[in-house]
Amino acid sequence: MTLRDCHAMGHDHLPAHPSGLRQAFTASAAGSSDDDAPHSVPGPSRPPPTETTALLGSILDLRDEAHEGPCYHGTFSPRPATPDDSLHADSTGRKSWTSKIRSKKMNTSSVLAEQYGVHDGPLMYLSYYLPAMIWTRHYNWSYFKGDFVAALTVAGIYIPMALSLADNLAHVPPINGLYSFVINPLIYALLGSCPSMIVGPEAAGSLLVGTAIKSSIDRHGGDQDANLQARLCGIITGMCGAMVLLAGFARIGFIDSVLSRPFLRGFISAIGVVVFVDQLIPELGLSQLADRAHVGHSSSVDKLAFIFRNIDQVHTLTLTIAATSFTVIMVCREIKRRLQPRYPGVAYIPDRFLVVVFSAFLAYWYEWDKRGVAVLGTVEAASGRLFKFRWPLQPSNLGYMRESMSTSFLIALLGFFESSVAAKSLGGEAFAGIQLSPNRELVALGTANLVASCFASLPAFGGYGRSKVNKSTGGRTPVASIILSGLTLLCILVMLPYLYYLPKPVLCSLISVVGWSLIEECPHDVSFFLRIRAWKELGLMLIIVLATIFFSLSFGMAIGVGLSLLQVIRHATRPRIQILGRIPGTNRFENAEANLDRLEFIEGCLIVKIPEPLTFANTGEMKTRLRRLELYGSNKAHPALPRLRREDSNRNIIFDIHGVTSLDGSGAQVLEEIVRDYRQRGVRIFFSRGPAHDSQVGRLLRRSGIVELAGGESHFVDDVNEALKLTEAEQGAESGGRGLVVP
């Protein structure tokens, strides 16, 4: 008969509190602990909840009792079989096609829906993945005015920006930038989960596209081949879209949490510097000289040196136009920022659109193109036909695809993160109750870019700036994106001939404003990290900025991603096991290392808490850290110290495994080796707050032999205090005591 049997039958021979065999002593230099004893809350008919009580037990209590009467099966009590899928079977007993594609979440949702009288048909789940089925039912004409005004405002500001990004940063025909505002917002409106977000080309992605195109042209030639440039742009966008789409199908939307805030702030600030320096060359009228000097692929420092060496070659009229337009845009931006809290209507003024139109008129009237000022010229498709369909991911493009793989990955990673930040920052109540989902965002953005790549458009992702403009000017629904798509299409069909005289220095000044806005956000983060003395974060930002400015954008990105991943791996592979101590006068246990001199150790017992799942990633150093706890009572002690804890202080090891919510094969193997080693050394092993008998962790513990090695299921108890009583009882039995004798 086991100890638990005795307790269940009313013959409790265990002391209420550990007695002289388990004398408590207060740590003087090391130590303490971490675990809460069960809190008793009286209930009407069922036992009081403990630390093992399910949070949703009252709602999702799908299990009946295994049998009537008292249960003597220990922690791993038998459980009845889970409910079958008979409700989803046809008349012949076979499962219907809908039941075959149902996930565990869908099965749980079905139970909840049945309890609350909600119909959960296939259309409900389909509408979740196709949000247009939801918001179209809730849309009415009262939203249209706000959506139309918002789309018109965004078009007036960002259509000229798309032309500039394509021509000056991506080095593709300007019309390819407009394609991004025709196709991507339309598809995102149907699939996206953030109704007020506007999708379009970004400076960072366009710059990376331009870098990849220049590198490819240098290797294969075709500097003046606009068709090749557009084709390369489509390949990069297609690969980027395919990567994002596959990531969405694989449900790895958590990837936006991998890159740290310091990395992103450092990289975005570095992009701002690169963009600003790159635009100085055409703004000073030195583009042709730079082409002859082959400084296009040089670092920002080399480009600055080139500018200073050729400062006497600056074209005065070009510089005047660029400086004037930059100043006007910056002044208007500041005025709007100051006035908008009192006069929200100023947000509707398309100042950049007006600058573009006015400068184009002046260029036409004064014939600036004949005075050495570069103008946009004829805007037309490289293939000679608008919206020519060309599938980019075909075998004939395999060589270009290999060369562009890393660039496409960086654009996808950076673009999704920017979209994620924008979607989360917009906040507020979602239209029609559409819930934001990172995985659905990946699918929507990936699909949009994959379709747009067939027309050689620039990569497009969500941007916080234009999305904020959209929301602040009345855009509440995805219809604003659809209207923006229609306005851009109208511009392509009607307005292209009127863009001939658009001065390139003005387009460059628009990009310079974007670069400045990327840089000006950095001082706030730097001051915050200085205030909290976060030297590691500041160091990471500095390394990325310097690597990008002195070397290249790709090198800075690689350094940043590498360091961020190393931090994630370092954090994930470090086991967080803790030694526990008891709060004097209670049965509560806390982390001893975090509460020095306040807790007490239990004589002859080492209580270890494992507060996390055990996988191949974090069990590599588990033996070493456990050994350090045995020797010193702390993980923070240097291994050069001699042994500080006596050998008999570790006669009993109690593992609190409440936090081990999952266990893989590697983790089970390491844990089995640890338990086997302790047993060979004569150490008693106990597990408190173990998993359920029918859980994945419980099955692995039995199959791996850990339960048998530890002494059977009776060594798996409900809490640490019960384990202490059990150690006292077993030690008393071994020394001839009556701790386990049943009269």
Side-chain angles (χ1 to χ4, degrees):
M1 181 174 292
T2 66
L3 178 67
R4 189 182 295 275
D5 297 339
C6 299
H7 181 75
M9 296 177 61
H11 303 288
D12 190 358
H13 296 277
L14 302 182
H17 299 283
S19 62
L21 292 173
R22 294 287 173 267
Q23 294 295 330
F25 60 92
T26 303
S28 57
S32 297
S33 70
D34 174 274
D35 189 69
D36 297 334
H39 302 283
S40 298
V41 180
S45 59
R46 61 179 59 193
T50 67
E51 292 168 321
T52 59
T53 303
L55 294 176
L56 297 177
S58 60
I59 300 177
L60 297 178
D61 192 5
L62 308 179
R63 303 177 301 187
D64 299 323
E65 296 294 332
H67 55 75
E68 297 181 356
C71 179
Y72 307 131
H73 297 94
T75 299
F76 294 138
S77 299
R79 301 291 194 272
T82 56
D84 58 25
D85 292 327
S86 59
L87 293 176
H88 304 290
D90 57 21
S91 58
T92 62
R94 293 177 300 180
K95 290 184 179 180
S96 62
W97 69 271
T98 55
S99 65
K100 294 180 181 179
I101 64 173
R102 296 176 69 88
S103 64
K104 292 182 179 179
K105 287 186 179 180
M106 289 183 180
N107 289 329
T108 304
S109 301
S110 297
V111 175
L112 286 171
E114 183 178 358
Q115 289 184 357
Y116 287 93
V118 177
H119 176 68
D120 69 324
L123 286 179
M124 183 186 77
Y125 297 107
L126 181 61
S127 63
Y128 176 81
Y129 295 103
L130 190 61
M133 297 177 62
I134 300 176
W135 64 257
T136 50
R137 295 198 301 265
H138 292 79
Y139 193 82
N140 57 66
W141 287 105
S142 63
Y143 299 119
F144 184 78
K145 178 183 177 183
D147 290 335
F148 181 80
V149 172
L152 191 62
T153 305
V154 172
I157 295 175
Y158 288 98
I159 284 180
M161 186 72 68
L163 292 168
S164 185
L165 290 173
D167 186 60
N168 294 327
L169 291 185
H171 305 291
V172 297
I175 197 171
N176 294 85
L178 297 180
Y179 287 167
S180 300
F181 270 134
V182 174
I183 302 168
N184 296 74
L186 177 62
I187 296 178
Y188 182 82
L190 302 177
L191 301 177
S193 61
C194 184
S196 56
M197 189 163 75
I198 300 294
V199 175
E202 291 288 337
S206 301
L207 185 62
L208 288 169
V209 170
T211 303
I213 289 177
K214 279 188 175 181
S215 300
S216 181
I217 287 176
D218 286 347
R219 283 191 291 267
H220 304 286
D223 191 20
Q224 303 300 323
D225 190 351
N227 193 30
L228 175 61
Q229 295 169 355
R231 179 182 167 194
L232 291 172
C233 179
I235 292 172
I236 295 172
T237 304
M239 293 181 62
C240 176
M243 291 177 184
V244 174
L245 183 61
L246 290 175
F249 288 150
R251 305 181 63 81
I252 56 175
F254 60 86
I255 194 69
D256 66 331
S257 302
V258 173
L259 301 181
S260 64
R261 179 70 177 270
F263 158 73
L264 287 160
R265 179 53 57 211
F267 185 66
I268 290 174
S269 300
I271 286 177
V273 174
V274 172
V275 167
F276 198 86
V277 173
D278 280 359
Q279 299 312 300
L280 283 177
I281 293 178
E283 286 173 346
L284 297 175
L286 300 176
S287 298
Q288 294 182 355
L289 188 61
D291 291 339
R292 291 196 296 269
H294 302 288
V295 297
H297 292 290
S298 303
S299 66
S300 297
V301 174
D302 293 333
K303 290 177 181 177
L304 285 175
F306 167 79
I307 291 172
F308 284 115
R309 285 197 307 267
N310 297 277
I311 198 69
D312 57 327
Q313 304 291 326
V314 170
H315 190 266
T316 306
L317 181 57
T318 300
L319 174 60
T320 303
I321 296 171
T324 302
S325 57
F326 178 81
T327 304
V328 170
I329 294 172
M330 292 295 292
V331 169
C332 290
R333 193 183 72 150
E334 184 64 21
I335 292 175
K336 290 170 69 174
R337 186 184 67 83
R338 293 176 181 270
L339 293 181
Q340 194 165 351
R342 296 180 59 187
Y343 307 102
V346 299
Y348 295 83
I349 301 175
D351 52 314
R352 300 180 191 184
F353 180 73
L354 294 176
V355 169
V356 168
V357 172
F358 187 64
S359 64
F361 174 77
L362 292 178
Y364 165 75
W365 188 261
Y366 292 105
E367 298 182 337
W368 284 348
D369 57 321
K370 297 180 180 179
R371 300 172 58 183
V373 177
V375 295
L376 190 60
T378 303
V379 180
E380 60 183 3
S383 62
R385 190 178 60 177
L386 294 177
F387 295 103
K388 182 179 180 180
F389 183 90
R390 182 193 295 120
W391 177 247
L393 307 182
Q394 49 186 313
S396 60
N397 294 331
L398 194 58
Y400 294 119
M401 291 167 60
R402 282 195 295 264
E403 295 172 357
S404 306
M405 181 73 71
S406 59
T407 300
S408 301
F409 175 76
L410 296 181
I411 295 173
L413 195 63
L414 188 62
F416 171 64
F417 189 89
E418 289 184 357
S419 301
S420 178
V421 170
K424 293 175 182 177
S425 301
L426 290 172
E429 183 180 355
F431 176 72
I434 299 175
Q435 301 179 34
L436 182 66
S437 167
N439 293 318
R440 285 189 296 166
E441 286 294 289
L442 284 168
V443 172
L445 294 169
T447 303
N449 279 289
L450 194 58
V451 173
S453 69
C454 299
F455 305 96
S457 76
L458 287 177
F461 292 91
Y464 177 67
R466 59 175 168 267
S467 301
K468 186 177 180 181
V469 170
N470 173 64
K471 188 174 182 180
S472 63
T473 53
R476 289 191 56 195
T477 76
V479 172
S481 294
I482 297 176
I483 296 174
L484 174 63
S485 176
L487 291 174
T488 310
L489 179 61
L490 183 65
C491 177
I492 293 175
L493 298 177
V494 177
M495 299 293 296
L496 290 186
Y498 301 98
L499 300 177
Y500 182 92
Y501 286 100
L502 183 58
K504 285 193 175 183
V506 175
L507 296 178
C508 293
S509 66
L510 294 176
I511 301 299
S512 296
V513 171
V514 175
W516 181 269
S517 65
L518 296 177
I519 298 171
E520 67 180 358
E521 297 177 6
C522 184
H524 176 268
D525 288 345
V526 171
S527 63
F528 175 80
F529 289 133
L530 283 174
R531 187 167 66 252
I532 65 174
R533 299 182 180 180
W535 310 121
K536 292 182 180 179
E537 286 76 7
L538 286 171
L540 179 61
M541 290 177 63
L542 183 62
I543 289 173
I544 294 172
V545 170
L546 294 179
T548 304
I549 293 175
F550 282 90
F551 293 95
S552 67
L553 199 64
S554 300
F555 183 73
M557 184 72 168
I559 289 290
V561 170
L563 292 177
S564 295
L565 290 178
L566 283 177
Q567 287 183 347
V568 171
I569 294 171
R570 182 173 180 268
H571 180 76
T573 56
R574 175 176 294 182
R576 295 165 184 80
I577 57 176
Q578 305 165 356
I579 184 171
L580 303 183
R582 187 168 63 188
I583 299 176
T586 70
N587 288 329
R588 295 183 58 193
F589 296 83
E590 292 185 357
N591 184 1
E593 295 181 82
N595 300 277
L596 295 175
D597 300 326
R598 193 171 70 85
L599 305 178
E600 58 185 16
F601 289 117
I602 308 300
E603 181 184 0
C605 291
L606 178 66
I607 307 173
V608 177
K609 180 178 181 180
I610 306 177
E612 60 185 350
L614 292 179
T615 66
F616 72 95
N618 61 0
T619 52
E621 294 186 12
M622 192 172 175
K623 292 182 181 179
T624 303
R625 292 189 175 272
L626 272 175
R627 183 60 178 167
R628 196 170 295 181
L629 288 179
E630 291 181 49
L631 297 176
Y632 312 117
S634 173
N635 268 317
K636 299 178 181 179
H638 195 280
L641 284 172
R643 185 186 189 106
L644 302 181
R645 285 173 57 91
R646 301 192 313 272
E647 185 71 31
D648 58 1
S649 298
N650 306 317
R651 295 192 302 270
N652 302 280
I653 305 290
I654 300 174
F655 289 104
D656 177 10
I657 57 173
H658 183 61
V660 184
T661 55
S662 64
L663 179 70
D664 66 5
S666 299
Q669 186 178 28
V670 172
L671 187 60
E672 190 270 344
E673 293 172 356
I674 290 172
V675 173
R676 182 181 298 276
D677 178 66
Y678 279 135
R679 296 298 293 152
Q680 290 175 352
R681 289 158 52 187
V683 177
R684 287 183 287 270
I685 302 295
F686 303 89
F687 290 88
S688 75
R689 301 200 296 172
H693 183 274
D694 58 352
S695 67
Q696 179 260 351
V697 177
R699 291 193 296 268
L700 264 179
L701 290 176
R702 292 195 308 275
R703 293 170 184 169
S704 62
I706 294 174
V707 174
E708 182 180 355
L709 278 174
E713 294 180 2
S714 62
H715 279 224
F716 286 76
V717 295
D718 290 335
D719 56 51
V720 174
N721 194 56
E722 188 176 347
L724 289 174
K725 295 178 184 179
L726 193 57
T727 62
E728 183 176 324
E730 290 200 1
Q731 185 166 327
E734 290 177 3
S735 59
R738 297 171 55 87
L740 288 177
V741 178
V742 179

